[in-house]
């Protein structure tokens, strides 16, 4: 009947629109990845040329260029590893059966790993961790990686004297892991996009960690990997931020039913 044909046509149109969106996302991803990999390559090429034309004239400057070449090469390697991580996580389809565990030691471990860096940077890394957490069926290494990524960002963006807090708590049927910092915060208009691949809030601000050419800046991949890791473990991640006050990332995980 015309009604059934009509329904079929609507379903087809819907499918075609979805495919179109998917293709567009893929296209944007490839374009972004190429662009992001080209920047360090250009930086490397310019410096190699400069060192070649300097010869032995200015050894100090040559030395500086060479160490910049090294750090840009490292950055490309990190980016390639991050892209592989993402591709690997996306391919995983089969649901896993993981034994329920208490994540408390995992959280302490993540905090210990990052505490020396916090100290060196003149920041305080505080733990507000419950001594026991209800069991949750997750891969401990993946949750640890997610927490480390969040701590890494908080330490990276929080200025000297700032405070970063790792907190655990329990609400109805859910376990919350929070990473909170007193850094510059994230403007409201950027919040919905910070988990997107290659998204950086303010390229100028992330560049300040390197120099005016963008040397050493992040690629904007960390949070998309973090969210993927959490979602692959049945959880989700939320963020709230008041610029100039507090930024809080919350990992929400389901508590395993009592056997
Ligand atoms: P990046 O490698 O640039 O840090 P991420 O995906 O980890 O990439 O983060 C995306 C962007 O979100 C960052 O460039 C930064 O602008 C912003 N951001 C992430 N965490 C924080 C934080 N704790 N405080 C302020 N801004 C943050």
């Amino acid at each position: 009947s015309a009604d059934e044909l009509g329904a079929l046509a609507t379903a087809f149109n819907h499918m075609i629109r979805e495919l179109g969106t998917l293709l567009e996302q893929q296209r944007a991803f490839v374009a972004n990845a190429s662009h992001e990999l080209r920047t360090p390559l250009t930086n490397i090429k310019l410096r190699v040329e400069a060192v070649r034309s300097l010869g032995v004239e200015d050894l100090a400057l040559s030395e500086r260029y060479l160490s910049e070449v090294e750090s840009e090469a490292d950055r490309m390697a990190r980016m390639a590893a991050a892209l592989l991580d993402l591709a690997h996580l996306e391919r995983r389809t089969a649901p896993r059966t993981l034994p329920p565990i208490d994540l408390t030691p995992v959280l302490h471990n993540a905090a210990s790993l990052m505490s020396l860096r916090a100290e060196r940077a003149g920041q305080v890394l505080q733990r507000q961790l419950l001594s026991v957490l209800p069991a949750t069926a997750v891969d401990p290494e993946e949750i640890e990686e997610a927490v480390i990524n969040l701590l890494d960002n908080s330490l990276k963006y929080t200025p000297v004297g700032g405070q970063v807090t790792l907190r655990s708590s329990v609400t109805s049927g859910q376990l919350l892991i929070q990473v909170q910092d007193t850094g510059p915060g994230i403007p409201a208009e950027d919040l919905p996009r910070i988990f997107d691949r290659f998204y950086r809030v303010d390229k100028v601000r992330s560049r300040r960690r390197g120099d005016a050419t963008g040397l050493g800046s992040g690629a904007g991949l960390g949070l998309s990997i973090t969210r993927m890791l959490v979602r692959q473990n049945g959880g989700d991640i939320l963020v709230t931020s008041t610029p100039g006050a507090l930024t809080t990332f919350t990992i929400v995980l389901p508590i395993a039913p009592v056997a």
Side-chain angles (χ1 to χ4, degrees):
S1 75
D3 276 356
E4 274 172 28
L5 268 184
L8 199 65
T10 310
F12 257 115
N13 283 335
H14 179 70
M15 203 165 73
I16 285 167
R17 264 199 310 277
E18 296 230 309
L19 273 174
T21 311
L22 216 66
L23 279 173
E24 176 51 33
Q25 281 171 359
Q26 291 278 8
R27 198 203 56 77
F29 173 68
V30 172
N32 277 335
S34 320
H35 175 80
E36 293 296 328
L37 289 167
R38 220 169 25 225
T39 309
L41 257 185
T42 307
N43 283 334
I44 288 173
K45 196 163 184 309
L46 285 173
R47 280 159 184 75
V48 169
E49 281 166 13
V51 169
R52 174 171 284 151
S53 69
L54 275 173
V56 292
E57 258 169 54
D58 190 339
L59 285 178
L61 191 55
S62 291
E63 182 53 42
R64 198 191 97 195
Y65 287 155
L66 284 178
S67 69
E68 286 172 354
V69 163
E70 203 170 20
S71 76
E72 285 298 88
D74 286 346
R75 188 155 74 95
M76 286 191 79
R78 280 200 305 276
M79 227 185 273
L83 287 171
L84 281 175
D85 266 2
L86 269 177
H88 174 77
L89 284 170
E90 271 184 344
R91 258 205 319 273
R92 194 160 68 200
T93 46
R96 298 168 295 170
T97 37
L98 295 157
I101 49 156
D102 178 352
L103 278 173
T104 306
V106 170
L107 300 180
H108 276 292
N109 204 38
S112 298
L113 270 173
M114 302 304 278
S115 64
L116 183 62
R117 208 181 102 194
E119 233 171 75
R120 291 255 164 89
Q123 293 154 340
V124 181
L125 175 49
Q126 212 182 52
R127 299 178 202 190
Q128 290 176 5
L129 299 173
L130 297 175
S131 52
V132 183
L133 284 173
T136 175
V138 295
D139 180 323
E141 278 178 26
E142 291 182 2
I143 298 304
E144 183 169 346
E145 188 182 336
V147 171
I148 286 175
N149 284 350
L150 294 178
L151 289 173
D152 181 64
N153 272 349
S154 284
L155 293 172
K156 196 159 71 177
Y157 295 110
T158 303
V160 177
Q163 184 157 318
V164 175
T165 307
L166 176 62
R167 185 181 302 122
S168 65
S169 60
V170 177
T171 63
S172 51
Q174 289 177 322
L175 190 157
L176 308 181
I177 302 167
Q178 290 182 310
V179 174
Q180 189 169 66
D181 68 62
T182 57
I186 302 163
E189 67 264 29
D190 294 301
L191 279 179
R193 300 203 54 197
I194 56 164
F195 294 102
D196 292 355
R197 291 164 185 183
F198 302 112
Y199 193 77
R200 276 166 289 180
V201 170
D202 170 359
K203 301 205 174 190
V204 179
R205 190 173 77 198
S206 15
R207 268 179 202 163
R208 246 188 253 145
R209 288 175 284 136
D211 66 23
T213 61
L215 286 179
S217 62
L221 288 171
L223 284 178
S224 50
I225 292 176
T226 304
R227 183 167 71 178
M228 188 89 75
L229 284 167
V230 172
R231 288 190 171 170
Q232 292 268 355
N233 281 279
D236 210 350
I237 183 165
L238 315 164
V239 58
T240 58
S241 183
T242 316
L246 287 176
T247 299
T248 312
F249 284 87
T250 305
I251 295 176
V252 183
L253 294 171
I255 291 173
V258 183

